[in-house]
Amino acid sequence: MQKTRKLHSPCLRTHSPLSQFSSSLKDLSFKEDTPLLWNSPQKKRSQFMPVHHPEFIATEDSWESGLTVWEQKCMLGKEVADLSALASSEKGDLAGGVHLRAQVSKLGCCVRWMKITGLFVFVVLCSILFSLYPDQGKLWQLLAVSPLENYSVTLSGRADSIILQLDLAGALMPGGPSGSGKEEHVMVVVTQTDAVGNRWRRPQQVTHNWTVPLNPRSEHVVVSRTFEIVSREAVSISIQASLQQTRLVPLLLAHQFLGASVEAQVASAVAILTGVYTLIIFEIVHRTLAAMLGALAALAALAVVGDRPSLTHVVEWIDFETLALLFGMMILVAIFSETGFFDYCAVKAYQLSRGRVWAMIIMLCLMAAILSAFLDNVTTMLLFTPVTIRLCEVLNLDPRQVLIAEVIFTNIGGAATAIGDPPNVIIVSNQELRKMGLDFAGFTAHMFLGICLVLLVSFPLLRLLYWNKKLYNKEPSEIVELKHEIHVWRLTAQRISPASREETAVRGLLLEKVLALEHLLAQRLHTFHRQISQEDKNWETNIQELQRKHRISDRSLLVKCLTVLGFVISMFFLNSFVPGIHLDLGWIAILGAIWLLILADIHDFEIILHRVEWATLLFFAALFVLMEALTHLHLVEYVGEQTALLIKMVPEDQRFAAAIVLIVWVSALASSLIDNIPFTATMIPVLLNLSQDPEISLPALPLMYALALGACLGGNGTLIGASANVVCAGIAEQHGYGFSFMEFFRLGFPMMLMSCTIGMCYLLIAHVVVGWN
């Protein structure tokens, strides 16, 4: 029986092609009693003879007709034989395809288990290293120095120590001395006896001098420096003040022995950062988990070095103002979405664009750039991302491409003002820079002109980069919406924890709904054809239907949302001008969220919390810890020192231009690799020290403009380069339209290169040629 089934299986496969040939034979004047379709030999003989009987065939056509029949018979027999061979080859190809799929599946399982095993071993190793070393809390010692009285202390040497780190706190200036020699300063002298190599060699004293300028107007500034330990002998530290008048200067001193050189720490920091980027670029794990793994590795490296921070210090590294800003605006947007306002805005934008896709995209990008100049770019993307996603769903566009273009122009527009991007806020808020004359108006005037030039070139480049990209979905809108609906139902089912019988039943019902929708999707995929027009030519007829379908659902709630949101935005803007408002951006967002929660009378609070991007908030927290840990590993300090060395190698008459070029590109590339917020905060004292270096002597404010331009525009280089990128990706992922690291990189990196080039040329003309300093 098994052999019989094997023999009949090829016939079943060739049934469909035979039916096609039978239909083609009808065109050749063959009837249903064609000899090849007969089953019995007797029937074959009885019906074959009448065909050639002389009574039914004309005399002059008998030979030609008979010859034609035999030729057709031979051709049909050859075709059937070819079909049999084709069926056999298809059977072999099918078996080979099944075998190949099995091999690929087995390889995928092996790669997956290797990934899990490798990451688990890595996490266990980092956890063990982190637990073997105790917290190295800094013990601050209060002291007072004057021109007549110095402070001295002797530290016993350690066998496993390589460098000594000294931290000095007080009314200090983070930069180095100006070189005039007349300013008040504190001199720190570190002395150690070199090891005796043999009995004929006398011990030598190794002395390091560290000059720290004093700034009586500052309250509490912490400066640090490392010194190489040359032997196991004791280390002597002497501190003395150089003042114009005899008085006491209170200071705080802390020391710490570290078990690795600066070069080794920088190498470990680079390795950790490379590993984090590898996990994110190739999407081995989620970017939030990648940041957490990087933070754990950096903390383990600090523990091995001997600088393990306590849990309190790690929490202090997190920028809670940024997290509060994100959380508050997420709550506002979640309540705002209940009014149907985003759908209404999508229909209006569709109407204004008159069905032209590129007109709509340019309109959205320009509006995002303008708004991010007066708001911060994170808030702009929190408001714009839901509108853009809904608009793209209406037009059957791929939201990913539109969102990437939008967030790029948000970062460009945010660089135009002092409150548009967090790096600009950090620069303008610096007290040392304010004393040098940097204010909101001056900063905005310098940056605004350059960003306008960047925008003029960015729009043509965006069109060029999207020249061969298909912005429309490859499938009909019904199928796209159905897939999105399946994703939402499945995500909802996954969020229900089966803690009780009722929750388990609800989760089962949701999974049954997912199966039903998947079955419906399979049917529609067979039914619909992929025919998408490049432009909606019936946009006028669709407007009325869209307006009926997408209306404001709750006008009362809309009025409340607009009132609170208008107040929050006004406070964001006034916070930089009115000195009497003692509220940070995070506090304003949190208070606005509480106000709207009260006015909206939200009873089911869990629904609102489900719309908060917790993965994005956790990613930022882990990223702040990672960046601060890499800073403790001297990564940013090393970058600044190398930049200063490169500037010193340039001839003196070209140093100003070289400094601007180097700072723009170093800031842009570094901000594309790490988040631009902690990078900017760390680079400000480095640039202040660089500007006050007597060997360089450069004006500080143009260097800060170069830093701001490079950090803001460099955030477009990668997905994690700017906070707005991560926020936009998180919201898009929650809606089922997440985009990968490489998708953002293909568009963002060329835009970053172009925009930084235009901005650099503007700074060179404005500050080097014109002398607008």
Side-chain angles (χ1 to χ4, degrees), residues 77-79 162 243 304 326 390 488 522 534 539 587 594 711 738:
K78 185 179 179 181
E79 289 170 352
I162 297 179
L243 307 175
V304 173
L326 294 174
R390 191 63 195 131
V488 172
Q534 291 301 316
W539 67 273
W587 275 115
I594 295 175

Side-chain angles (χ1 to χ4, degrees), residues 35-51:
L36 288 176
L37 300 180
W38 291 335
N39 293 327
S40 62
Q42 184 175 1
K43 186 176 181 181
K44 183 177 180 179
R45 287 192 300 269
S46 61
Q47 296 189 9
F48 179 78
M49 291 301 294
V51 173

Side-chain angles (χ1 to χ4, degrees), residues 155 164 166 187-192 205-210 225-229 235-239:
L155 306 177
L164 171 65
L166 291 182
M187 176 67 72
V188 180
V189 180
V190 180
T191 306
Q192 188 182 24
Q205 296 287 335
V206 179
T207 304
H208 302 278
N209 295 326
W210 179 26
R225 185 169 177 179
T226 57
F227 303 91
E228 183 181 359
I229 297 178
V235 180
S236 299
I237 301 174
S238 176
I239 304 176

Side-chain angles (χ1 to χ4, degrees), residues 374-452:
F374 298 99
L375 302 176
D376 64 287
N377 52 5
V378 175
T379 305
T380 303
M381 289 313 303
L382 283 170
L383 297 175
F384 257 71
T385 303
V387 178
T388 305
I389 291 176
R390 191 63 195 131
L391 176 60
C392 292
E393 289 176 347
V394 171
L395 296 181
N396 195 29
L397 295 174
D398 187 4
R400 299 170 182 86
Q401 304 297 332
V402 183
L403 287 174
I404 292 174
E406 205 170 81
V407 73
I408 287 175
F409 279 87
T410 300
N411 291 329
I412 294 176
T417 63
I419 59 174
D421 209 351
N424 296 355
V425 177
I426 295 174
I427 292 174
V428 177
S429 301
N430 188 272
Q431 296 298 324
E432 296 298 326
L433 294 175
R434 283 182 175 271
K435 295 171 185 175
M436 294 180 182
L438 183 65
D439 55 2
F440 181 90
F443 184 90
T444 303
H446 280 78
M447 298 293 293
F448 184 78
L449 294 177
I451 294 303
C452 289

Side-chain angles (χ1 to χ4, degrees), residues 578-590:
V578 182
I581 301 177
H582 302 288
L583 291 176
D584 296 327
L585 299 181
W587 275 115
I588 295 172
I590 292 293

